[in-house]
């Protein structure tokens, strides 16, 4: 059962708001001086989300050089997220009440984990998480996830003025833009003159 919410489309405009990451200084979305890749993930410690985030970490310098600020939202409480966000080079925001999820039309569905296209990614993610757990580098996610485990990811590329330039609502738990897709979208967007590059 998918949570039904109004979804944004390219051309929609998002109002500016300050967000408080679980680690680091506040960020403003949209940024006003650069593109923002605002992505919605599932819950703190989600192995599938961690697999994706590691691809962003590996290529963070390229993303920054393309004039894009990463902001990642989870529906877990800040206390749970802090452990997983401490070493990430981008803003990670807790939204346990799912207010931002509702505003951006991000929902959940059983197919998040039941869609066969996600299964290879789930297996890879569980293998990676098991290795990290054994090495003591990550803990297990909380057994209790008040907002559920069936969230769907979503990606938004926002212009400095808040215009939604591109959007992707995931059909399963690992259905999001790759770094290559994000960089291609950013390359097609005129960069604000205040962003050096």
């Amino acid at each position: 059962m998918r949570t039904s919410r109004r979804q944004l489309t390219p051309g929609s405009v998002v109002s500016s708001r300050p967000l408080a990451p679980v680690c680091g200084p506040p960020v403003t979305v949209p940024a006003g001086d650069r593109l923002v890749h605002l992505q919605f993930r599932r819950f703190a410690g989600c192995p599938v989300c961690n697999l994706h985030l590691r691809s962003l970490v590996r290529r963070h310098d390229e993303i920054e050089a393309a004039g894009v600020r990463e902001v990642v939202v989870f529906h877990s409480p800040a206390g749970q997220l802090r452990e997983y966000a401490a070493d990430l080079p981008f803003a990670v925001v807790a939204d346990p009440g799912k207010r931002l999820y509702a505003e951006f039309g991000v929902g959940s569905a059983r197919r998040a984990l039941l869609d066969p296209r996600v299964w290879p990614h789930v297996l890879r993610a569980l293998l990676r998480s098991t290795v990290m757990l054994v090495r003591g580098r990550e803990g297990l996610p909380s057994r209790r996830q008040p907002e559920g485990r069936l969230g769907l990811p979503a990606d938004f590329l926002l212009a400095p003025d808040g215009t939604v330039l591109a959007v992707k609502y995931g059909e399963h738990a690992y259905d999001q833009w790759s770094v290559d897709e994000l960089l291609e979208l950013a390359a097609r967007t005129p960069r604000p003159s205040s962003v050096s590059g």
Side-chain angles (χ1 to χ4, degrees):
M1 176 173 114
R2 184 183 174 91
T3 306
S4 134
R5 295 185 169 113
R6 184 180 71 82
Q7 295 186 334
L8 301 181
T9 57
S12 300
V13 178
V14 173
S15 60
S16 180
R17 86 268 334 268
L19 297 176
V22 297
C23 301
V27 294
T28 301
V29 173
D33 64 343
R34 62 188 326 183
L35 300 172
V36 170
H37 175 211
L38 179 65
Q39 58 175 299
F40 291 81
R41 306 305 308 168
R42 292 155 36 84
F43 53 87
C46 165
V48 175
C49 300
N50 288 342
L51 186 65
H52 173 63
L53 291 180
R54 291 299 150 198
S55 71
L56 295 170
V57 169
R58 282 190 301 275
R59 298 183 66 190
H60 186 253
D61 289 344
E62 289 177 72
I63 295 168
E64 284 283 312
V68 179
R69 173 178 291 152
E70 282 292 336
V71 178
V72 184
V73 181
F74 283 86
H75 61 67
S76 296
Q80 285 181 13
L81 260 181
R82 213 166 271 118
E83 169 189 350
Y84 299 96
D87 68 335
L88 296 177
F90 39 77
V92 177
V93 176
D95 183 22
K98 283 190 157 182
R99 287 186 293 277
L100 286 170
Y101 286 77
E103 181 181 341
F104 282 80
V106 181
S108 59
R110 286 189 181 102
R111 73 174 180 272
L113 294 173
L114 297 179
D115 188 313
R117 294 174 293 178
V118 78
W119 297 346
H121 304 290
V122 168
L123 290 174
R124 248 183 14 165
L126 290 174
L127 177 61
R128 180 204 169 274
S129 290
T130 300
V131 169
M132 297 306 280
L133 181 66
V134 168
R135 291 180 178 172
R137 293 188 185 165
E138 286 181 8
L140 290 171
S142 173
R143 288 179 174 246
R144 198 169 154 300
Q145 297 296 335
E147 295 299 331
R149 296 178 181 268
L150 300 178
L152 293 165
D155 292 272
F156 300 86
L157 186 61
L158 305 177
D161 67 358
T163 302
V164 176
L165 300 172
V167 62
K168 177 176 182 74
Y169 288 97
E171 294 181 11
H172 56 74
Y174 200 76
D175 186 19
Q176 69 271 315
W177 290 332
S178 68
V179 174
D180 286 336
E181 289 171 311
L182 172 63
L183 293 174
E184 183 181 319
L185 288 167
R188 287 189 273 167
T189 303
R191 293 175 70 178
S193 57
S194 62
V195 174
S196 62

